[in-house]
Amino acid sequence: MNYIFQFFNTAFFNPILNILVGFYQLFNYIKLPGAFGFSIIALTLFVRGLLHPFFKQQMDTAKKMQEMKPHLDKLQEKYKKDPKKLQEEQLKLYQQAGINPASGCLFMIIQMPVFIALYQVLGKFLEINLPKTIMQINGALYFSFLKINTIDPWFFGINLATTPQKGGNVLYYVIPVITAVLQYLQVQTATPAMTPSATNKEIVKKGEEGKKDNGGDFQKAMNTQMKYIFPLMIGWFSLSMPIGLSLYWNIFSLFSIIQYKRIQVNKPVNKLTG
């Protein structure tokens, strides 16, 4: 267990900590007001940019899978009594489209340890009232010139080290609302809309068969939960989190929304035959 902890610190926690301190010292050097807040923003954009190739691959795979859905539905109907044949035909379709369905999970797998490290680094930084914390941060820095004596948590009149519940100001309660709204917009942008043709076919199929599509209802319920309940949960959690963590989360969501939009606009439609 200690080896795993040491590896995590060496590979993720310490590099992210050093990058954040590097930004903080740079912004302090140029006397930028709110240096710590801008350091969190810079670190978030740096990590998001670093993960962009994996994010783009995930989006490309998701878009292709959405375009393949009518073809997959046909195969499901045609070979519903022959699971082995169905699997073979689905594999051929994936190969024809040049995608690996499992590759869409790569972004999630890679980003998880990075997210955990970011959360821990920011959490450590926001324990600014403890001298022991400063010693721990300095002990993990690669270079002596990066060492810090204190941290100024104020960012445009907001204390990034406190929580909205302890802020004592109405302005602090706006942060969880912004967090929930941005999360909603991210889910909304990331969820591909059903094409009109697919919708019409589904309606006709339901009318002809007179059956309720339980799978579709379940998917619709899951999408509704992701669209509304998850953003509300994130907003609720941010009430008790230091605002610095909410700042990171909001910038990450905003950057994700921009990337989703760019990928959706620039991605050509992939047409399959058959």
Side-chain angles (χ1 to χ4, degrees):
M1 194 66 181
N2 288 335
Y3 291 109
I4 296 176
F5 182 75
Q6 291 175 1
F7 172 78
F8 179 82
N9 281 345
T10 302
F12 298 102
F13 182 88
N14 290 344
I16 290 175
L17 176 64
N18 277 265
I19 294 171
L20 181 59
V21 174
F23 281 128
Y24 180 66
Q25 295 288 40
L26 173 63
F27 294 150
N28 267 332
Y29 178 77
I30 63 176
K31 301 186 183 305
L32 181 66
F36 185 52
F38 282 112
S39 299
I40 294 175
I41 294 173
L43 176 65
T44 307
L45 295 178
F46 176 82
V47 172
R48 198 68 179 82
L50 199 65
L51 295 177
H52 177 67
F54 305 103
F55 172 81
K56 186 175 184 302
Q57 183 181 16
Q58 181 195 41
M59 287 301 300
D60 289 345
T61 300
K63 189 171 182 64
K64 288 181 179 180
M65 290 292 291
Q66 182 69 16
E67 293 166 356
M68 288 172 58
K69 189 177 185 305
H71 304 278
L72 292 170
D73 289 343
K74 289 180 181 178
L75 291 178
Q76 185 74 34
E77 180 65 24
K78 185 176 181 180
Y79 300 106
K80 59 184 177 181
K81 295 183 179 180
D82 190 349
K84 185 177 180 180
K85 182 65 175 178
L86 173 61
Q87 187 176 8
E88 292 175 356
E89 293 299 320
Q90 286 177 334
L91 182 59
K92 289 180 182 178
L93 191 61
Y94 292 143
Q95 291 174 342
Q96 179 185 350
I99 66 171
N100 178 6
S103 64
C105 302
L106 185 61
F107 178 69
M108 292 297 298
I109 294 173
I110 292 177
Q111 72 177 336
M112 282 307 297
V114 176
F115 283 172
I116 294 172
L118 275 170
Y119 185 89
Q120 292 182 349
V121 167
L122 291 176
K124 179 65 66 177
F125 248 89
L126 296 170
E127 296 173 359
I128 58 173
N129 295 324
L130 302 176
K132 183 180 178 182
T133 300
I134 299 296
M135 293 179 58
Q136 290 175 344
I137 292 175
N138 287 336
L141 297 177
Y142 297 146
F143 307 103
S144 59
F145 65 84
L146 290 177
K147 291 185 177 181
I148 57 177
N149 296 318
T150 186
I151 303 166
D152 182 3
W154 290 94
F155 185 63
F156 292 103
I158 296 177
N159 186 348
L160 299 178
T162 192
T163 68
Q165 292 177 332
K166 298 179 180 179
N169 190 321
V170 177
L171 181 61
Y172 284 81
Y173 285 97
V174 176
I175 306 298
V177 176
I178 295 175
T179 302
V181 170
L182 285 176
Q183 189 60 43
Y184 168 79
L185 292 176
Q186 180 179 344
V187 174
Q188 176 82 354
T189 308
T191 304
M194 183 179 293
T195 59
S197 59
T199 304
N200 293 337
K201 288 179 181 179
E202 184 179 358
I203 293 173
V204 171
K205 184 177 179 181
K206 285 183 179 180
E208 290 175 352
E209 297 180 357
K211 296 180 180 179
K212 185 176 181 180
D213 186 359
N214 293 326
D217 290 343
F218 176 77
Q219 183 65 37
K220 185 177 179 180
M222 289 296 295
N223 289 339
T224 301
Q225 290 185 14
M226 283 294 295
K227 190 175 180 180
Y228 298 107
I229 298 178
F230 184 66
L232 289 175
M233 287 177 57
I234 296 297
W236 176 259
F237 291 151
S238 65
L239 274 171
S240 57
M241 292 193 308
I243 292 177
L245 292 173
S246 295
L247 176 63
Y248 151 72
W249 191 273
N250 292 344
I251 295 300
F252 196 94
S253 296
L254 186 61
F255 200 50
S256 296
I257 292 169
I258 295 172
Q259 287 186 306
Y260 279 126
K261 289 289 187 182
R262 290 187 61 184
I263 290 174
Q264 290 173 1
V265 169
N266 297 332
K267 181 65 181 177
V269 177
N270 179 43
K271 295 184 178 181
L272 296 172
T273 58

